[in-house]
mmCIF file of all heavy atoms in Angstrom:
data_model
loop_
_atom_site.group_PDB
_atom_site.id
_atom_site.type_symbol
_atom_site.label_atom_id
_atom_site.label_comp_id
_atom_site.label_asym_id
_atom_site.label_seq_id
_atom_site.Cartn_x
_atom_site.Cartn_y
_atom_site.Cartn_z
ATOM 1 N N ASP J 1 24.656 -18.979 -5.563
ATOM 2 C CA ASP J 1 24.819 -17.534 -5.625
ATOM 3 C C ASP J 1 24.794 -17.031 -7.077
ATOM 4 O O ASP J 1 25.021 -17.797 -8.026
ATOM 5 C CB ASP J 1 26.134 -17.093 -4.949
ATOM 6 C CG ASP J 1 26.102 -17.290 -3.433
ATOM 7 O OD1 ASP J 1 25.003 -17.381 -2.891
ATOM 8 O OD2 ASP J 1 27.189 -17.355 -2.848
ATOM 9 N N ASP J 2 24.576 -15.748 -7.195
ATOM 10 C CA ASP J 2 24.809 -14.972 -8.456
ATOM 11 C C ASP J 2 23.933 -15.496 -9.582
ATOM 12 O O ASP J 2 24.428 -15.804 -10.673
ATOM 13 C CB ASP J 2 26.285 -15.028 -8.805
ATOM 14 C CG ASP J 2 26.652 -13.904 -9.752
ATOM 15 O OD1 ASP J 2 25.889 -12.907 -9.831
ATOM 16 O OD2 ASP J 2 27.680 -13.987 -10.435
ATOM 17 N N ILE J 3 22.625 -15.587 -9.373
ATOM 18 C CA ILE J 3 21.668 -15.880 -10.441
ATOM 19 C C ILE J 3 20.983 -14.576 -10.807
ATOM 20 O O ILE J 3 20.427 -13.869 -9.962
ATOM 21 C CB ILE J 3 20.597 -16.896 -9.939
ATOM 22 C CG1 ILE J 3 21.285 -18.234 -9.669
ATOM 23 C CG2 ILE J 3 19.495 -17.047 -10.986
ATOM 24 C CD1 ILE J 3 20.306 -19.256 -9.064
ATOM 25 N N THR J 4 21.046 -14.214 -12.065
ATOM 26 C CA THR J 4 20.309 -13.046 -12.551
ATOM 27 C C THR J 4 18.831 -13.403 -12.694
ATOM 28 O O THR J 4 18.518 -14.387 -13.375
ATOM 29 C CB THR J 4 20.872 -12.539 -13.860
ATOM 30 O OG1 THR J 4 22.233 -12.174 -13.703
ATOM 31 C CG2 THR J 4 20.096 -11.320 -14.366
ATOM 32 N N PHE J 5 17.997 -12.622 -12.068
ATOM 33 C CA PHE J 5 16.539 -12.895 -12.070
ATOM 34 C C PHE J 5 15.802 -11.717 -12.686
ATOM 35 O O PHE J 5 15.950 -10.555 -12.287
ATOM 36 C CB PHE J 5 16.029 -13.120 -10.633
ATOM 37 C CG PHE J 5 14.550 -13.208 -10.532
ATOM 38 C CD1 PHE J 5 13.835 -14.227 -11.234
ATOM 39 C CD2 PHE J 5 13.838 -12.372 -9.726
ATOM 40 C CE1 PHE J 5 12.462 -14.320 -11.104
ATOM 41 C CE2 PHE J 5 12.450 -12.468 -9.575
ATOM 42 C CZ PHE J 5 11.760 -13.429 -10.255
ATOM 43 N N THR J 6 15.060 -12.033 -13.773
ATOM 44 C CA THR J 6 14.197 -10.994 -14.422
ATOM 45 C C THR J 6 12.768 -11.326 -14.136
ATOM 46 O O THR J 6 12.328 -12.478 -14.318
ATOM 47 C CB THR J 6 14.469 -11.011 -15.957
ATOM 48 O OG1 THR J 6 15.814 -10.736 -16.191
ATOM 49 C CG2 THR J 6 13.599 -9.954 -16.634
ATOM 50 N N HIS J 7 12.007 -10.324 -13.704
ATOM 51 C CA HIS J 7 10.571 -10.497 -13.391
ATOM 52 C C HIS J 7 9.796 -9.458 -14.155
ATOM 53 O O HIS J 7 10.103 -8.275 -14.088
ATOM 54 C CB HIS J 7 10.359 -10.302 -11.888
ATOM 55 C CG HIS J 7 8.916 -10.357 -11.444
ATOM 56 N ND1 HIS J 7 8.036 -9.292 -11.580
ATOM 57 C CD2 HIS J 7 8.209 -11.337 -10.867
ATOM 58 C CE1 HIS J 7 6.871 -9.633 -11.113
ATOM 59 N NE2 HIS J 7 6.922 -10.861 -10.671
ATOM 60 N N ARG J 8 8.798 -9.940 -14.917
ATOM 61 C CA ARG J 8 7.951 -9.014 -15.687
ATOM 62 C C ARG J 8 6.491 -9.423 -15.521
ATOM 63 O O ARG J 8 6.131 -10.568 -15.814
ATOM 64 C CB ARG J 8 8.335 -9.052 -17.139
ATOM 65 C CG ARG J 8 7.634 -8.032 -18.020
ATOM 66 C CD ARG J 8 7.997 -8.214 -19.455
ATOM 67 N NE ARG J 8 7.048 -9.039 -20.163
ATOM 68 C CZ ARG J 8 7.364 -9.828 -21.203
ATOM 69 N NH1 ARG J 8 8.592 -9.919 -21.638
ATOM 70 N NH2 ARG J 8 6.419 -10.530 -21.808
ATOM 71 N N ALA J 9 5.650 -8.500 -15.048
ATOM 72 C CA ALA J 9 4.239 -8.851 -14.815
ATOM 73 C C ALA J 9 3.388 -7.600 -14.885
ATOM 74 O O ALA J 9 3.879 -6.462 -14.978
ATOM 75 C CB ALA J 9 4.107 -9.492 -13.448
ATOM 76 N N GLU J 10 2.076 -7.825 -14.912
ATOM 77 C CA GLU J 10 1.095 -6.747 -14.854
ATOM 78 C C GLU J 10 0.098 -7.051 -13.689
ATOM 79 O O GLU J 10 0.210 -8.062 -13.045
ATOM 80 C CB GLU J 10 0.346 -6.628 -16.166
ATOM 81 C CG GLU J 10 1.227 -6.286 -17.378
ATOM 82 C CD GLU J 10 2.000 -4.999 -17.175
ATOM 83 O OE1 GLU J 10 1.552 -4.085 -16.466
ATOM 84 O OE2 GLU J 10 3.118 -4.922 -17.721
ATOM 85 N N HIS J 11 -0.791 -6.116 -13.513
ATOM 86 C CA HIS J 11 -1.877 -6.270 -12.509
ATOM 87 C C HIS J 11 -1.345 -6.258 -11.091
ATOM 88 O O HIS J 11 -1.958 -6.787 -10.174
ATOM 89 C CB HIS J 11 -2.701 -7.510 -12.745
ATOM 90 C CG HIS J 11 -3.327 -7.595 -14.108
ATOM 91 N ND1 HIS J 11 -4.176 -6.594 -14.590
ATOM 92 C CD2 HIS J 11 -3.233 -8.530 -15.079
ATOM 93 C CE1 HIS J 11 -4.583 -6.921 -15.797
ATOM 94 N NE2 HIS J 11 -4.033 -8.085 -16.127
ATOM 95 N N HIS J 12 -0.159 -5.656 -10.879
ATOM 96 C CA HIS J 12 0.324 -5.417 -9.507
ATOM 97 C C HIS J 12 -0.325 -4.204 -8.884
ATOM 98 O O HIS J 12 -0.376 -4.039 -7.682
ATOM 99 C CB HIS J 12 1.822 -5.276 -9.484
ATOM 100 C CG HIS J 12 2.577 -6.581 -9.535
ATOM 101 N ND1 HIS J 12 3.368 -7.020 -8.526
ATOM 102 C CD2 HIS J 12 2.634 -7.527 -10.476
ATOM 103 C CE1 HIS J 12 3.904 -8.186 -8.830
ATOM 104 N NE2 HIS J 12 3.454 -8.522 -10.015
ATOM 105 N N PHE J 13 -0.845 -3.311 -9.749
ATOM 106 C CA PHE J 13 -1.462 -2.071 -9.247
ATOM 107 C C PHE J 13 -2.905 -1.902 -9.742
ATOM 108 O O PHE J 13 -3.501 -0.848 -9.466
ATOM 109 C CB PHE J 13 -0.604 -0.865 -9.726
ATOM 110 C CG PHE J 13 0.817 -0.931 -9.214
ATOM 111 C CD1 PHE J 13 1.848 -1.348 -10.061
ATOM 112 C CD2 PHE J 13 1.122 -0.603 -7.892
ATOM 113 C CE1 PHE J 13 3.150 -1.462 -9.595
ATOM 114 C CE2 PHE J 13 2.441 -0.685 -7.431
ATOM 115 C CZ PHE J 13 3.454 -1.105 -8.299
ATOM 116 N N SER J 14 -3.413 -2.878 -10.436
ATOM 117 C CA SER J 14 -4.810 -2.801 -10.874
ATOM 118 C C SER J 14 -5.353 -4.224 -10.979
ATOM 119 O O SER J 14 -4.569 -5.168 -11.118
ATOM 120 C CB SER J 14 -4.935 -2.095 -12.234
ATOM 121 O OG SER J 14 -4.257 -2.809 -13.245
ATOM 122 N N ASP J 15 -6.668 -4.380 -10.906
ATOM 123 C CA ASP J 15 -7.250 -5.709 -10.893
ATOM 124 C C ASP J 15 -7.798 -6.037 -12.309
ATOM 125 O O ASP J 15 -8.374 -5.155 -12.976
ATOM 126 C CB ASP J 15 -8.446 -5.735 -9.920
ATOM 127 C CG ASP J 15 -8.057 -5.211 -8.529
ATOM 128 O OD1 ASP J 15 -6.995 -5.569 -8.080
ATOM 129 O OD2 ASP J 15 -8.896 -4.467 -7.946
ATOM 130 N N PRO J 16 -7.677 -7.292 -12.751
ATOM 131 C CA PRO J 16 -8.356 -7.696 -13.948
ATOM 132 C C PRO J 16 -9.892 -7.543 -13.765
ATOM 133 O O PRO J 16 -10.443 -8.066 -12.786
ATOM 134 C CB PRO J 16 -7.946 -9.175 -14.096
ATOM 135 C CG PRO J 16 -6.628 -9.297 -13.375
ATOM 136 C CD PRO J 16 -6.771 -8.329 -12.231
ATOM 137 N N ARG J 17 -10.530 -6.817 -14.671
ATOM 138 C CA ARG J 17 -11.906 -6.410 -14.437
ATOM 139 C C ARG J 17 -12.918 -7.464 -14.761
ATOM 140 O O ARG J 17 -12.762 -8.231 -15.729
ATOM 141 C CB ARG J 17 -12.169 -5.151 -15.240
ATOM 142 C CG ARG J 17 -11.547 -3.911 -14.657
ATOM 143 C CD ARG J 17 -11.743 -2.712 -15.550
ATOM 144 N NE ARG J 17 -10.823 -2.735 -16.698
ATOM 145 C CZ ARG J 17 -10.915 -1.922 -17.722
ATOM 146 N NH1 ARG J 17 -11.918 -1.081 -17.818
ATOM 147 N NH2 ARG J 17 -10.037 -2.028 -18.710
ATOM 148 N N GLY J 18 -14.000 -7.467 -14.008
ATOM 149 C CA GLY J 18 -15.150 -8.260 -14.319
ATOM 150 C C GLY J 18 -16.091 -7.519 -15.272
ATOM 151 O O GLY J 18 -15.892 -6.355 -15.514
ATOM 152 N N ILE J 19 -17.088 -8.210 -15.808
ATOM 153 C CA ILE J 19 -18.061 -7.562 -16.698
ATOM 154 C C ILE J 19 -19.463 -8.052 -16.313
ATOM 155 O O ILE J 19 -19.622 -9.015 -15.577
ATOM 156 C CB ILE J 19 -17.806 -7.869 -18.157
ATOM 157 C CG1 ILE J 19 -17.905 -9.376 -18.475
ATOM 158 C CG2 ILE J 19 -16.459 -7.321 -18.620
ATOM 159 C CD1 ILE J 19 -17.881 -9.677 -19.965
ATOM 160 N N ALA J 20 -20.432 -7.330 -16.819
ATOM 161 C CA ALA J 20 -21.875 -7.690 -16.627
ATOM 162 C C ALA J 20 -22.219 -7.784 -15.145
ATOM 163 O O ALA J 20 -23.058 -8.591 -14.763
ATOM 164 C CB ALA J 20 -22.224 -8.962 -17.353
ATOM 165 N N GLY J 21 -21.558 -6.968 -14.307
ATOM 166 C CA GLY J 21 -21.822 -6.977 -12.883
ATOM 167 C C GLY J 21 -20.906 -7.884 -12.102
ATOM 168 O O GLY J 21 -21.020 -7.982 -10.894
ATOM 169 N N GLY J 22 -19.988 -8.584 -12.782
ATOM 170 C CA GLY J 22 -19.051 -9.471 -12.091
ATOM 171 C C GLY J 22 -17.974 -8.714 -11.390
ATOM 172 O O GLY J 22 -17.628 -7.529 -11.742
ATOM 173 N N GLY J 23 -17.336 -9.292 -10.387
ATOM 174 C CA GLY J 23 -16.315 -8.656 -9.584
ATOM 175 C C GLY J 23 -14.931 -8.727 -10.252
ATOM 176 O O GLY J 23 -14.666 -9.558 -11.108
ATOM 177 N N ASP J 24 -14.078 -7.786 -9.800
ATOM 178 C CA ASP J 24 -12.712 -7.759 -10.284
ATOM 179 C C ASP J 24 -11.911 -8.904 -9.599
ATOM 180 O O ASP J 24 -12.274 -9.386 -8.531
ATOM 181 C CB ASP J 24 -12.035 -6.478 -9.965
ATOM 182 C CG ASP J 24 -12.651 -5.278 -10.716
ATOM 183 O OD1 ASP J 24 -13.398 -5.531 -11.700
ATOM 184 O OD2 ASP J 24 -12.395 -4.138 -10.319
ATOM 185 N N ALA J 25 -10.886 -9.350 -10.280
ATOM 186 C CA ALA J 25 -10.026 -10.416 -9.729
ATOM 187 C C ALA J 25 -9.005 -9.837 -8.755
ATOM 188 O O ALA J 25 -8.789 -8.625 -8.670
ATOM 189 C CB ALA J 25 -9.320 -11.145 -10.865
ATOM 190 N N MET J 26 -8.336 -10.709 -8.023
ATOM 191 C CA MET J 26 -7.278 -10.331 -7.131
ATOM 192 C C MET J 26 -6.051 -9.976 -7.939
ATOM 193 O O MET J 26 -5.697 -10.705 -8.866
ATOM 194 C CB MET J 26 -6.997 -11.487 -6.153
ATOM 195 C CG MET J 26 -6.031 -11.139 -5.011
ATOM 196 S SD MET J 26 -5.757 -12.575 -3.924
ATOM 197 C CE MET J 26 -7.375 -12.708 -3.134
ATOM 198 N N ARG J 27 -5.384 -8.897 -7.576
ATOM 199 C CA ARG J 27 -4.204 -8.479 -8.308
ATOM 200 C C ARG J 27 -2.957 -9.310 -7.978
ATOM 201 O O ARG J 27 -2.978 -10.077 -7.005
ATOM 202 C CB ARG J 27 -3.937 -6.983 -8.052
ATOM 203 C CG ARG J 27 -3.593 -6.620 -6.668
ATOM 204 C CD ARG J 27 -3.460 -5.119 -6.492
ATOM 205 N NE ARG J 27 -4.662 -4.391 -6.897
ATOM 206 C CZ ARG J 27 -4.819 -3.062 -6.793
ATOM 207 N NH1 ARG J 27 -3.837 -2.303 -6.311
ATOM 208 N NH2 ARG J 27 -5.933 -2.492 -7.163
ATOM 209 N N ALA J 28 -1.903 -9.118 -8.744
ATOM 210 C CA ALA J 28 -0.687 -9.895 -8.562
ATOM 211 C C ALA J 28 0.100 -9.405 -7.358
ATOM 212 O O ALA J 28 -0.059 -8.242 -6.926
ATOM 213 C CB ALA J 28 0.170 -9.813 -9.838
ATOM 214 N N HIS J 29 0.985 -10.236 -6.875
ATOM 215 C CA HIS J 29 1.868 -9.861 -5.781
ATOM 216 C C HIS J 29 3.084 -10.740 -5.815
ATOM 217 O O HIS J 29 2.988 -11.983 -5.925
ATOM 218 C CB HIS J 29 1.159 -10.018 -4.438
ATOM 219 C CG HIS J 29 1.865 -9.347 -3.319
ATOM 220 N ND1 HIS J 29 2.219 -8.020 -3.294
ATOM 221 C CD2 HIS J 29 2.321 -9.856 -2.115
ATOM 222 C CE1 HIS J 29 2.853 -7.710 -2.180
ATOM 223 N NE2 HIS J 29 2.915 -8.784 -1.446
ATOM 224 N N THR J 30 4.246 -10.141 -5.786
ATOM 225 C CA THR J 30 5.529 -10.875 -5.816
ATOM 226 C C THR J 30 6.466 -10.384 -4.705
ATOM 227 O O THR J 30 6.648 -9.166 -4.560
ATOM 228 C CB THR J 30 6.248 -10.699 -7.179
ATOM 229 O OG1 THR J 30 5.368 -11.224 -8.196
ATOM 230 C CG2 THR J 30 7.549 -11.490 -7.207
#
């Protein structure tokens, strides 16, 4: 019990973008 947990991330609401016609990556989810 009683563990302090800190979570910090990006790409939960946007996808890492592809270039030159490539597709975007799957976004994060926790």
Side-chain angles (χ1 to χ4, degrees):
D1 290 340
D2 201 19
I3 295 175
T4 299
F5 173 58
T6 302
H7 175 281
R8 186 184 94 209
E10 299 302 329
H11 302 303
H12 280 244
F13 301 101
S14 63
D15 309 317
R17 285 175 282 169
I19 62 170
D24 294 346
M26 188 181 291
R27 63 185 58 177
H29 193 55
T30 301

